[in-house]
Amino acid sequence: MDTQKIKAAADLLLAARNRKITLARLPDECIPADAEEAYAVQDLVSQALGPVGGWKVGAKAPGAQPSCAPMPAQFVFAAPYHFFDLLTAGSRGIEVEIALRMKHDLPPRSRPYTQEEVVAAVATVHPAIELVSSRYTDYPARDPLAGLADALSNCAFIYGPGRSDLGQIDQSIQHAELYFNGLEVARTVGGNPVVDIWPLAVWLANHVGARCGGLKAGQFITTGSCTGLLFAEKGSSVNALLENIGKVDISFAQE
């Protein structure tokens, strides 16, 4: 890996997060050569932002290669939550998601974790909203590896009350609704493209175990959008409902 390039990319992304610079895109000389370099950029940025409150994970289709990114604990909030500040200079992308919260650690080990072990390590399932906002003003990123380096555009994570009966989770029939200012903007059944979220959680447990110390008790896993990506305006109220799981309410300041 090119450690100088990785540090340069991480420094730019941190400066954009802190609004010290406006970053249209990563310069060509800073774009990761492969996923390993992109994850290394993530790691440096994450270390600078403090403890990890959870992980986002997703894939484009069942069996497709997943990708993931850390969610800083300082940007994990319980619903209802009002955003006085967007945290980045970008847009207000909204994704309604099923999230899992860890009951105990899954530390690094020599053999892979099985689905049964990962399910047993999860305490609760939650309705959640991921707030999506890239550090790049040229969004979406032209290069997927640049997007991966930018934590897959994670900005914040907001979760509702959880429940412990995990056996009833079936993404293939999961009903989801999303409202902006009281108006319905999305209504889906089985909207997550992976259909079954548990293989994603298993992949994440093994990926994070091999790369950065494993999943920790209390961390969240958010598993991809059930409603696609929609954008809210300033001053909006946002209400999400996952049937039989719960609801999440957030709002944004006018300025």
Side-chain angles (χ1 to χ4, degrees):
M1 289 193 295
D2 187 334
T3 56
Q4 287 187 327
K5 177 174 69 174
I6 290 166
K7 185 178 185 305
D11 287 346
L12 287 171
L13 289 167
L14 281 167
R17 280 180 178 267
N18 295 327
R19 301 191 187 183
K20 293 180 179 178
I21 63 168
T22 298
L23 185 60
R25 60 187 181 90
L26 271 187
D28 291 344
E29 64 271 18
C30 292
I31 293 175
D34 52 28
E36 184 180 12
E37 287 194 349
Y39 283 124
V41 176
Q42 280 190 16
D43 291 343
L44 285 181
V45 173
S46 179
Q47 290 164 17
L49 294 175
V52 173
W55 294 84
K56 64 176 290 183
V57 62
K60 294 183 177 180
Q65 176 64 35
S67 56
C68 69
M71 301 189 299
Q74 63 175 308
F75 302 134
V76 172
F77 308 107
Y81 191 80
H82 179 70
F83 284 93
F84 294 96
D85 185 4
L86 182 57
L87 311 177
T88 75
S91 53
R92 299 160 188 78
I94 304 294
E95 294 186 343
V96 181
E97 309 200 9
I98 296 174
L100 310 168
R101 194 167 200 180
M102 300 302 297
K103 177 168 51 180
H104 59 72
D105 295 357
L106 290 178
R109 71 180 195 187
S110 59
R111 68 185 189 282
Y113 285 102
T114 66
Q115 180 165 315
E116 291 74 17
E117 290 173 314
V118 173
V119 172
V122 173
T124 45
V125 58
H126 298 255
I129 288 175
E130 184 190 2
L131 180 59
V132 176
S133 186
S134 175
R135 266 51 65 176
Y136 310 128
T137 58
D138 185 4
Y139 176 80
R142 297 180 188 179
D143 190 303
L145 291 170
L148 183 59
D150 184 34
L152 298 170
S153 299
N154 173 259
C155 179
F157 172 78
I158 308 93
Y159 64 95
R163 62 177 178 81
S164 58
D165 48 337
L166 306 180
Q168 296 185 24
I169 300 174
D170 186 349
Q171 175 54 54
S172 68
I173 58 172
Q174 179 63 55
H175 179 100
E177 299 173 18
L178 178 61
Y179 298 84
F180 290 171
N181 299 317
L183 300 176
E184 183 181 290
V185 294
R187 179 183 292 262
T188 63
V189 176
N192 190 317
V194 300
V195 182
D196 184 0
I197 65 172
W198 287 111
L200 285 180
V202 174
W203 176 87
L204 181 71
N206 289 308
H207 175 87
V208 173
R211 191 169 63 82
C212 44
L215 296 173
K216 308 294 185 184
Q219 288 182 340
F220 288 92
I221 302 171
T222 194
T223 58
S225 182
C226 299
T227 54
L229 175 63
L230 295 104
F231 293 90
E233 299 293 330
K234 292 179 181 179
S236 296
S237 63
V238 177
N239 312 101
L241 172 68
L242 288 172
E243 190 174 65
N244 298 322
I245 298 179
K247 65 177 185 176
V248 185
D249 300 322
I250 64 173
S251 58
F252 296 100
Q254 186 63 46
E255 297 297 334

